[in-house]
Structure formats: C-alpha cells, structure tokens
Amino acid sequence: MAGKLISEMGLPTSIANIFAARNILTAKDALLLNEFELMELLDVDLDAVKSSIAQISASVCPPYQTALQLMQERVDKEYLGGHFPTTLKGLDKALFGGIPFGALTELVGPAGIGKTQFCLKLSLLAALPTSCGGLNGHVIYVDTESKFSSRRLIEIGESCYPQIFHVKGMAKELAGRIVVLQPATLSEFAERLQQIKLSLLQNQVRLVIVDSIAALVSSDHERHVKAPRRDALGWHVSFLKSLAELSRVPIVVTNQVRALSTNHALSYSFQADRKSELARNRDISESHLIPALGMHWAHAVNVRLVLEAHSGQRFIKLAKSPISPPLSFPFIITSAGISLLNDDGMEVSGTEINSILNEGGVIVSAGEE
C-alpha cells in the first residue's frame, strides 16, 4: 500500500499537481516527510498539508474494526464458511463441525500411522451424495508417492455405506469423481496447481488433498536442487492457501516427520543447560519427532492434526486450531478406515502439544499408511 500513487487518492487536482511537480508520487514519498517539510517543499499552508496527509493515510491504511463488527461480518458471510464432517464424532465436535472450508488443514505423522487412510476416507465422503453426509462433488487427490488405492477406497465404502456401494454402478460412479494426479517434482506440482485452480473456478471440486507435500521437497533435494529446504515450498504454500480462501474449498495436506536432533532441541541459548541431559538420552531422536517441513509451513497451515503412537496405542491429536483447544483421541484402523475408540478427547498441554511420538510397542507397517 505504501507504493500507491497519490494521483489515485482523490486529492484536489491543484494539490495533486503540486505533489507531482515536486516528484512526490507515492504514499511512501509523502509520509516519510513531516508536516513542516511538506509545507516548505509544496509551498502550501499547514491546513492544506494536514488535509492531504489525512487523506493519503486513510487511502493506504484500512479502517479499524471492532469485535462486534467482525462478528457481524462472519454472520453475513456464513454461507462462505462451514465445515466438512470427518464422521469422527469427537474430532468433528472439537473442530466445531469438521475440516474447515476455505482453510489449509495438515495431517502430520510417521510413515504407516494412518495419514493416507484418513485422506481416502475424506475423498470418499466428499464424493458421496449430500443425503449420506457427503459433499456430492469432485475430489482432486495429488498422490506424490503412489499410495492412493482404489481397492482400499472401495473397501472403506463397502464397510461404511453398504446401502450405496451395493447399488450397481455406484462404486464406479463415485470413484470417477476422484481425480488422481501424480507429480514427481515441485515444478510438476506447480503446473498441477494451475490446473487445480481452473477446476476450482468451475465450482465442481469440493475437496483437494495433497499426499504428501514433503515428499516433493525430498525428491527435489535428492536431485541436487540448491534452494534451501525451508524456502522450497514458499510459493506453493502461498498458492495453496490462497486457493483455499478464494474457492472456500477445504484443502488437506499430509506432512512427513524427521527425528528431533539435539541441535534442534537446543535452538535457544537459555536451553544450553539441558545439553548434558539430552546427551544422556540418546533415544530421544528415535521416539520424538518433528514435522519434516519448517516453521514457514507450520505458520501457513490453519489446522494441524498430528497422528502419533505411544503407550501401545495410536492417537490423533488436534495440535493447532484457531478455535479449538489441543485434544488427543485414541484411534484404530479397521476395514472402515480410521475409527475413534472414544469421543472424549484428552487435553494436552506444554511440550505434548508440539511433540510427535512413535513409540510404545505400536506396530506401524507401511501397508497401513
């Protein structure tokens, strides 16, 4: 906004011409000078300067809003909001209805924990008729690691909705609504994003899934791409988020994990006294994990769901949400996909919110991913 031209701000023509003659062309040019400097430079009186500065400031600074105004605005635009139910009752309640429309939702966890199982169920739900709780639309599924399984999708459908999948041709029709894209590099992914944008503009797509976005970054780095890992997804993150906000379609992405290193754990100087303690706990990197992508990515996502394993059990943890407290739900994977063992989430706090565990005797196989 600082670069906005003064000629476009509706100032009186005589004043605007004086600004232009003195080579003060943008809001930044004018606001960097105080009132007396402008008086001398423009050769006008103080009232004219104050009036001009007030109008320039109003043009480049949005007006403030009260909490009441924001609440009213949300009510007025409720038709653009909404949530996509996951059918996991406790999680949907914690998220005030499910995966939010117009937002970026992340699933992060170790390999085999159930991220793809979750995505397959969401894909099915989005394709289902609204009478069955679905979105009755098309799905774009970006599959970067060839993990998408039509067979598993139909198995979940037959287990959850036998009345639909036993109708002749229905399984084929629903599967036909799910478009699977398989980019191998970030550059290919960027091209696919442009295609996704065009599809969203046609108002047929109801859900976009990217599984897994971290795999694309790893793939490019294996090809000796010189861009730093933390910067590799900068444009893609912004584009995905803008797609979600503009189309009001939920976008779900999965993220991988990496071991928590001692250097990462000691990011701050005041943690230096923990060095000896961490040195004695060599197994910390084996069971304590962090998301594979960095802080830029973490700040971009609106909702983060962590899938982890400890104490002999899998858990899905609501680790980040603008409207929900951090909660954790135990789950299992059955023929019907992910199922919660109970709908009463356990509150988590402190380091538990951001930690990702994969320990405690839970057998996680690649086939269950």
Side-chain angles (χ1 to χ4, degrees):
M1 297 298 288
K4 187 173 181 180
L5 296 176
I6 291 177
S7 59
E8 299 175 352
M9 296 182 184
L11 291 175
T13 303
S14 58
I15 295 295
N17 289 339
I18 295 174
F19 273 100
R22 301 298 187 273
N23 201 33
I24 303 176
L25 305 179
T26 67
K28 181 179 180 180
D29 296 336
L31 297 176
L32 283 176
L33 301 172
N34 61 42
E35 293 174 346
F36 295 103
E37 289 173 330
L38 283 173
M39 283 179 60
E40 182 178 355
L41 188 60
L42 300 176
D43 193 22
V44 296
D45 59 37
L46 182 58
D47 288 340
V49 168
K50 286 184 175 181
S51 176
S52 299
I53 291 300
Q55 191 163 341
I56 292 170
S57 298
S59 297
V60 297
C61 298
Y64 68 85
Q65 288 181 292
T66 65
L68 179 61
Q69 289 172 324
L70 290 173
M71 289 173 61
Q72 185 59 49
E73 184 178 299
R74 180 174 180 180
V75 171
D76 294 340
K77 295 182 178 180
E78 190 62 32
Y79 70 97
L80 293 175
H83 294 80
F84 175 28
T86 66
T87 70
L88 302 176
K89 187 176 178 181
L91 182 61
D92 286 342
K93 182 179 179 181
L95 288 170
F96 290 83
I99 304 296
F101 288 0
L104 207 54
T105 298
E106 176 194 38
L107 304 176
V108 59
I113 195 69
K115 301 187 296 295
T116 298
Q117 299 280 346
F118 198 112
C119 291
L120 289 174
K121 181 67 172 289
L122 291 179
S123 299
L124 176 64
L125 288 169
L128 282 173
T130 52
S131 59
C132 299
L135 299 180
N136 194 36
H138 289 76
V139 178
I140 295 179
Y141 196 114
V142 182
D143 178 24
T144 67
E145 297 183 287
S146 300
K147 290 181 178 179
F148 182 89
S149 171
S150 299
R151 179 179 177 183
R152 177 62 175 137
L153 182 78
I154 294 174
E155 180 184 12
I156 293 173
E158 289 177 339
S159 298
C160 297
Y161 308 98
Q163 73 279 12
I164 295 179
F165 276 75
H166 288 167
V167 176
K168 185 177 181 179
M170 183 58 70
K172 185 176 181 180
E173 179 182 341
L174 292 176
R177 295 181 179 181
I178 302 173
V179 177
V180 181
L181 308 177
Q182 294 183 315
T185 64
L186 278 176
S187 59
E188 288 183 25
F189 180 49
E191 295 175 3
R192 295 297 192 181
L193 284 177
Q194 297 294 345
Q195 296 175 7
I196 292 172
K197 180 180 179 180
L198 293 176
S199 299
L200 290 171
L201 291 175
Q202 296 173 2
N203 296 321
Q204 294 180 334
V205 176
R206 294 292 178 264
L207 174 67
V208 176
I209 291 177
V210 182
D211 181 22
S212 129
I213 197 154
L216 290 171
V217 181
S218 299
S219 176
D220 272 25
H221 276 267
E222 289 174 3
R223 293 179 173 86
H224 308 292
V225 174
K226 295 182 180 180
R229 179 184 296 265
R230 64 180 179 275
D231 298 328
L233 281 172
W235 177 85
H236 306 78
V237 171
S238 300
F239 196 88
L240 277 173
K241 194 161 188 176
S242 65
L243 282 182
E245 293 172 351
L246 294 174
S247 67
R248 309 307 301 175
V249 166
I251 295 183
V252 178
V253 298
T254 68
N255 189 3
Q256 299 170 350
V257 297
R258 59 184 176 85
L260 174 64
S261 66
T262 302
N263 289 335
H264 185 278
L266 301 176
S267 301
Y268 304 97
S269 58
F270 61 78
Q271 295 175 304
D273 58 343
R274 295 182 54 212
K275 186 176 296 185
S276 58
E277 178 186 344
L278 290 175
R280 291 192 298 270
N281 293 282
R282 296 296 184 182
D283 62 340
I284 188 170
S285 63
E286 297 176 3
S287 59
H288 292 69
L289 308 170
I290 59 174
L293 303 178
M295 291 302 295
H296 180 69
W297 173 258
H299 288 306
V301 299
N302 303 97
V303 175
R304 168 173 279 178
L305 299 175
V306 172
L307 282 73
E308 60 182 2
H310 59 88
S311 306
Q313 179 63 60
R314 287 183 170 96
F315 294 86
I316 182 167
K317 179 168 61 182
L318 176 52
K320 178 184 178 182
S321 167
I323 59 175
S324 309
L327 297 171
S328 182
F329 302 86
F331 74 90
I332 57 174
I333 298 177
T334 68
S335 60
I338 287 181
S339 300
L340 299 185
L341 292 178
N342 65 69
D343 295 320
D344 299 320
M346 300 172 288
E347 290 192 20
V348 294
S349 60
T351 58
E352 294 180 11
I353 297 175
N354 296 316
S355 65
I356 304 174
L357 302 178
N358 188 27
E359 58 181 9
V362 174
I363 300 176
V364 181
S365 64
E368 289 185 328
E369 174 64 14

